[in-house]
Amino acid sequence: MILTEEQKQRIVKACVVEYQNDIKDRKKLGQFFTPADLVIKMIEKFDNLDGTFLDPCAGSGQLLIGLIMAGVDPNNIYYNELDINEFEAGKKRLMALGVPETHFTNFDVFSKEFEEYYREVE
């Protein structure tokens, strides 16, 4: 799909990286924060923005925020993050954009809880 210039500008404005951990901890945890230009490129790979979106390792929520700025209904956004610092930061950012509190999980993506919760979402 092709984003309009207006959508791209909304994404750039909203996708400000907010690091919760210092650089040593981020490297140790394998955390990578997606810049706005990469968020735009990722979104443009989708055929459309209909449906439900889950980021299983969402960090501060950059991709999901970009999807909302591109027009995805916040009720169709699901967020998961294991690192509690990033989880709290991402949850705060996305709830401010209308994502329901019940759409946030703090699971290990390899856990049975993660699998069971998101099986119910489908």
Side-chain angles (χ1 to χ4, degrees):
M1 82 166 303
I2 303 295
L3 295 173
T4 67
E5 286 305 313
E6 181 182 334
Q7 288 171 314
K8 290 178 184 179
Q9 289 307 311
R10 284 198 311 257
I11 292 168
V12 168
K13 189 174 181 179
C15 287
V16 176
V17 177
E18 297 177 11
Y19 298 113
Q20 302 304 311
N21 296 314
D22 67 27
I23 187 73
K24 285 184 195 176
D25 287 338
R26 291 196 311 269
K27 285 183 179 180
K28 183 177 166 184
L29 295 168
Q31 294 176 334
F32 172 77
F33 295 85
T34 312
D37 59 334
L38 185 54
V39 168
I40 291 166
K41 288 178 183 178
M42 291 168 67
I43 293 170
E44 288 185 326
K45 294 292 182 187
F46 289 110
D47 291 331
N48 62 62
L49 297 180
D50 299 331
T52 301
F53 295 86
L54 159 67
D55 190 339
C57 303
S60 60
Q62 294 289 86
L63 176 59
L64 298 174
I65 289 168
L67 285 165
I68 293 169
M69 294 299 110
V72 171
D73 182 343
N75 290 302
N76 293 339
I77 296 290
Y78 287 84
Y79 170 101
N80 183 74
E81 174 55 45
L82 181 59
D83 180 276
I84 194 64
N85 293 326
E86 292 303 325
F87 175 80
E88 293 298 334
K91 181 178 178 180
K92 181 179 177 182
R93 293 176 78 199
L94 286 157
M95 283 187 68
L97 296 174
V99 176
E101 189 165 10
T102 57
H103 290 206
F104 295 87
T105 54
N106 180 229
F107 296 135
D108 178 333
V109 295
F110 299 110
S111 71
K112 191 130 188 98
E113 293 88 1
F114 179 84
E115 180 183 334
E116 289 170 359
Y117 177 85
Y118 286 103
R119 187 177 301 135
E120 291 176 19
V121 169
E122 292 178 44

